[in-house]
Amino acid sequence: MAAEAHAPTASEYIVHHLQHLQNIKQKSIVDFSVVNYDSVIVGLVLGFLALFVFWRAARKATSGVPGRFQAAVEILVEMVDNQAKANIHNAESRKFIAPLALTVFVWIFIMNAMDMLPVDLLPMLWQGATGDGHAYLRVVPTADLSTTLGLSTAVLILCFYYSVKIKGVGGWAHELVTAPFGTSKNPVFALILGVVNLLMQIIEYVAKTVSHGMRLFGNMYAGELVFMLIALMGGAAAMSLSGVLLPVGHIIAGSIWAIFHILVITLQAFIFMMLALIYLGQAHEAH
């Protein structure tokens, strides 16, 4: 009986915490029938929270001396607007892209910040609410590859949209078969160069989209793993009487990583936003 009630090992603990709350069990690396409910629900809730922050800032905005909250929002808006002007030279496009970039930055920052919560807090609350001690729940949507690739794919679709809107269907199609190696007056060479150029363009779009999503996912996934390892140090400290220095190491390591991780979650949100602006800016440029 005691053997059946044993505490999970370190590997079992990590594997359990890396499982999503899903509609069905994932059977392959790529399975579009699987929905990670936790990432979707937490992402939507945090998205509405970001919108609420913007709404509250706009509602309380005054023309006089701004308060600290309004000043912080104004600094953030100005920073994003400056980056949008530097990358998007079309003023009409900036009316949509600049607010979008601001929303993306704040939304991703809030999703990343879920990593700062205690590792077991929300999963244990969820297990208590469901009555299932083995219920799965992951609370960092950006540590889910489905979320980050979904965001980067949305940026790709916008790039296609602005490529057609700015250059026209014919202009964009001509660019796809003439850049980066140009074309030739010889029909045979022109056909060969056209195929090569098109393949290079496809590779470029795929590489940008995958790297855009993978960069955010990789950093947040690694951060999540580190917090789990630090949590295991605390668990080992609670179970050990001989490891006198282990609780001290747990507190020190947790504090240092939490402080460093504040920079990570901010930087990753900024990098994702900047890459989105750069890619959308490239969609406006003729090659």
Side-chain angles (χ1 to χ4, degrees):
M1 195 72 177
E4 295 178 359
H6 74 282
T9 64
S11 60
E12 290 172 342
Y13 174 84
I14 292 177
V15 169
H16 182 274
H17 277 67
L18 292 179
Q19 295 293 322
H20 286 280
L21 175 63
Q22 300 173 323
N23 58 334
I24 58 175
K25 187 173 180 61
Q26 187 168 338
K27 298 179 181 179
S28 60
I29 296 178
V30 179
D31 190 346
F32 291 105
S33 64
V34 175
V35 178
N36 294 334
Y37 290 134
D38 43 16
S39 296
V40 173
I41 294 173
V42 174
L44 287 175
V45 170
L46 295 178
F48 283 115
L49 177 61
L51 293 176
F52 173 76
V53 170
F54 291 143
W55 172 80
R56 189 168 180 271
R59 183 170 173 268
K60 292 185 174 293
T62 61
S63 57
V65 179
R68 286 177 293 181
F69 177 66
Q70 181 179 337
V73 172
E74 288 179 355
I75 291 172
L76 180 60
V77 170
E78 185 178 1
M79 181 271 293
V80 174
D81 188 56
N82 289 336
Q83 297 300 330
K85 288 179 179 178
N87 291 280
I88 312 295
H89 303 299
N90 187 307
E92 185 65 27
S93 297
R94 282 202 307 271
K95 292 180 181 179
F96 174 77
I97 294 177
L100 175 68
L102 177 63
T103 304
V104 166
F105 175 79
V106 175
W107 189 24
I108 292 179
F109 173 81
I110 295 176
M111 288 193 289
N112 291 351
M114 293 297 288
D115 214 5
M116 302 298 293
L117 295 176
V119 172
D120 293 305
L121 177 61
L122 294 182
M124 289 184 66
L125 291 175
W126 174 247
Q127 290 171 2
T130 59
D132 181 2
H134 298 284
Y136 299 125
L137 183 71
R138 291 183 68 183
V139 298
V140 186
T142 45
D144 179 5
L145 188 57
S146 301
T147 301
T148 58
L149 285 182
L151 291 170
S152 63
T153 301
V155 174
L156 176 66
I157 293 172
L158 281 175
C159 289
F160 290 162
Y161 169 77
Y162 279 107
S163 293
V164 173
K165 181 180 179 181
I166 300 299
K167 305 164 190 174
V169 176
W172 185 43
H174 180 265
E175 179 181 285
L176 289 176
V177 296
T178 57
F181 299 122
T183 186
S184 172
K185 294 181 180 180
N186 186 302
V188 176
F189 290 154
L191 178 61
I192 294 173
L193 285 172
V195 172
V196 173
N197 286 329
L198 180 60
L199 289 175
M200 291 297 294
Q201 290 279 358
I202 293 173
I203 292 171
E204 180 182 354
Y205 278 121
V206 172
K208 287 194 300 187
T209 303
V210 172
S211 64
H212 197 191
M214 286 291 291
R215 180 181 289 103
L216 176 59
F217 161 75
N219 281 278
M220 298 314 302
Y221 186 86
E224 191 177 33
L225 280 177
V226 172
F227 274 122
M228 290 179 191
L229 293 173
I230 294 173
L232 285 171
M233 288 179 61
M239 299 293 292
S240 173
L241 296 176
S242 59
V244 179
L245 296 180
L246 198 54
V248 178
H250 172 244
I251 295 172
I252 294 175
S255 301
I256 293 175
W257 182 247
I259 295 171
F260 175 73
H261 207 58
I262 294 173
L263 300 177
V264 173
I265 63 179
T266 307
L267 184 62
Q268 290 306 313
F270 179 78
I271 290 174
F272 192 95
M273 179 201 73
M274 282 300 304
L275 288 174
L277 288 173
I278 290 171
Y279 295 157
L280 290 170
Q282 290 176 346
H284 284 72
E285 298 173 356
H287 295 281

